[in-house]
Amino acid sequence: MGVFDDLVGQERAAVTLRRAADGAAEMLAGGPGGGMTHAWLFTGPPGSGREEAARAFAAALFCPDRGCGHCDMCHQVTVGSHPDLEVVRTEGLSYGIKETRQLILRAAGAPTLGRWRVVLFEGADRMPERASNALLKAIEEPPPKTVWLLCTPSPADLVITIRSRCRVVTLVTPPTAAVAHALVTRDNIPPDMAEYVARATQGHLERARRLALDPEMRARREAVLSIPRSLTGLGECVTAAERLVDTAKKEAEALSSALDEGEITEIRKIYGEGSSGKGLNKGLIRGGAGALKDLEKLQKSRATRTQRDVIDAALLDLVAFYRDVLAVQFGAPVELANEDRRADLDDLARSSVPEDTLRRIDAIMHCRERLAANVNPQMAVEAMTISLRQPRL
């Protein structure tokens, strides 16, 4: 099975990338290389598999058989050990100008194995303007064997000067049936559970997998979906907001703590903690003070981002809930993400009008915007829950 066969529900994108991989092989042989270019932009909604598609394309560029899925080149891309593939992940809130310039210098080097040097930039939308301007120069005049793969939710997330120089690959939300099939065949998840989580996560394959395998995650989702019914007064709104933010904070701390501890231990080892020899340990620890300070700053930024991401996932679950309410109100023949909570959907649909539902969806989306603008999470979520408030059902 080839690397593009793993792209769930992305048949059209897979065709485009296969043709481009063929063109890349022609280019290496001195041909015109039709369909191949040095800058690509992978876009699509959460869960569409932007990074997976970009990684599959990178494997196809390295692979002599253009993405067979089982050779050494494909395996190295899969495990992240290929010397000519650099994957850029933005662990903090943004990717700074200093990091971007260093990345551009590394990308300008010749490939180790002679085919391509590929930079896969996850979360390219997190670049501030100065970093984007620096990247633009590298994309305008790339080295002959350097390929940039940028991943963002939407083309509008990048400055127009960058996206106009990229070939865009647009991914779509995978159908529920395709996600459920992948979970059953790849992860041995029971069909009923696979269908439930695929529908609940609206086609987000990785989140569906975690939801199926993690009972605590399913419990947190149920707690979020119970919020609309609980907002019977101002006190309940404040309590719901506190609970949501506190849960997100604890989950972020749990996700970050293991990483933080390992990174600090590694830095201390690098700078000689525990080494023997006159003056050796003292000097290296002093030299590592700056590195430890930089690491702590990065970890704090990562923890903040993780907390925001956890809250944002909860807000998207609420958006899906109210979207289902709207579908019920209009009698739309569409699949409901929260069919398992049909009684709550029906009750809320009867006790309100579509205009109310749209106003509530707007309140949730406004909360997401405020969180992205660094508004205090407690204040932003409280304002949202108050806007969602309704009489007891």
Side-chain angles (χ1 to χ4, degrees):
M1 185 171 67
V3 293
F4 296 119
D5 295 325
D6 287 336
L7 304 182
V8 177
Q10 308 297 343
E11 289 77 12
R12 179 175 295 183
V15 170
T16 298
L17 296 174
R18 283 194 182 96
R19 290 175 178 170
D22 291 339
E26 292 176 6
M27 187 180 293
L28 289 174
M36 180 58 187
T37 184
H38 288 274
W40 293 78
L41 177 57
F42 291 80
T43 70
S48 58
R50 297 183 298 266
E51 289 78 13
E52 290 79 5
R55 193 180 294 272
F57 185 47
L61 293 178
F62 295 135
C63 175
D65 294 323
R66 297 186 283 284
C68 66
H70 52 75
C71 69
D72 287 342
M73 296 293 110
C74 292
H75 177 71
Q76 287 176 11
V77 171
T78 300
V79 301
S81 63
H82 197 288
D84 293 325
L85 173 63
E86 176 156 2
V87 179
V88 181
R89 295 184 178 91
T90 314
E91 293 191 328
L93 297 177
S94 64
Y95 198 77
I97 179 67
K98 179 180 178 181
E99 293 88 350
T100 303
R101 287 173 176 164
Q102 292 172 346
L103 173 64
I104 291 169
L105 288 175
R106 295 195 301 272
T112 303
L113 302 181
R115 293 180 69 85
W116 301 98
R117 186 168 185 83
V118 178
V119 180
L120 198 171
F121 200 145
E122 300 180 0
D125 53 305
R126 295 182 183 269
M127 283 187 298
E129 184 177 356
R130 290 183 63 200
S132 296
N133 292 335
L135 180 62
L136 172 62
K137 296 179 181 179
I139 290 179
E140 284 180 325
E141 300 177 1
K145 289 189 175 183
T146 296
V147 180
W148 291 87
L149 310 179
L150 310 179
C151 302
T152 69
S154 167
D157 293 325
L158 289 183
V159 296
I160 189 170
T161 48
I162 289 182
R163 67 176 185 261
S164 65
R165 288 163 174 79
C166 297
R167 184 173 180 186
V168 179
V169 178
T170 303
L171 305 176
V172 298
T173 300
T176 297
V179 173
H181 178 72
L183 294 174
V184 171
T185 55
R186 300 180 189 179
D187 302 286
N188 295 318
I189 293 172
D192 290 345
M193 175 63 76
E195 183 177 353
Y196 159 68
V197 296
R199 186 176 62 249
T201 57
Q202 303 171 79
H204 194 308
L205 178 60
E206 185 55 37
R207 191 160 180 246
R209 181 180 291 114
R210 295 199 308 270
L211 190 63
L213 300 175
D214 187 351
E216 292 185 3
M217 185 175 178
R218 294 198 295 272
R220 287 194 295 270
R221 178 176 179 273
E222 288 301 311
V224 169
L225 295 179
S226 69
I227 287 176
R229 194 179 185 92
S230 70
L231 304 179
T232 57
L234 186 60
E236 286 78 6
C237 291
V238 173
T239 299
E242 289 178 348
R243 187 179 299 117
L244 194 156
V245 173
D246 185 59
T247 299
K249 184 176 180 180
K250 290 179 179 177
E251 184 173 352
E253 289 174 350
L255 292 172
S256 300
S257 60
L259 284 174
D260 292 352
E261 185 176 341
E263 289 169 345
I264 291 174
T265 300
E266 186 64 23
I267 284 288
R268 292 186 179 280
K269 286 182 179 179
I270 290 173
Y271 283 91
E273 184 174 75
S275 302
S276 59
K278 186 176 180 181
L280 179 63
N281 191 44
K282 181 179 179 181
L284 289 178
I285 288 297
R286 186 186 304 118
L292 280 172
K293 186 176 181 180
D294 290 343
L295 177 61
E296 289 170 359
K297 182 178 179 181
L298 172 63
Q299 290 176 340
K300 183 177 180 180
S301 178
R302 181 173 61 197
T304 300
R305 176 188 165 186
T306 302
Q307 182 181 357
R308 287 184 187 173
D309 288 346
V310 173
I311 294 176
D312 194 61
L315 298 183
L316 289 176
D317 283 336
L318 284 175
V319 168
F321 179 88
Y322 284 108
R323 187 210 63 179
D324 287 350
V325 171
L326 195 63
V328 173
Q329 288 173 326
F330 282 114
V334 297
E335 180 182 71
L336 301 180
N338 300 282
E339 182 65 47
D340 55 308
R341 302 186 73 92
R342 188 58 188 254
D344 286 351
L345 298 176
D346 289 340
D347 287 346
L348 187 51
R350 284 193 298 267
S351 65
S352 61
V353 295
E355 290 79 7
D356 294 331
T357 306
L358 289 171
R359 175 179 56 79
R360 288 172 174 131
I361 292 175
D362 285 344
I364 300 170
M365 299 306 291
H366 183 56
C367 180
R368 296 183 69 206
E369 293 173 358
R370 297 184 72 194
L371 289 171
N374 292 324
V375 173
N376 179 277
Q378 184 67 38
M379 293 177 60
V381 176
E382 277 186 15
M384 180 198 72
T385 54
I386 290 172
S387 295
L388 300 179
R389 180 185 172 186
Q390 61 188 35
R392 184 177 298 279
L393 300 178

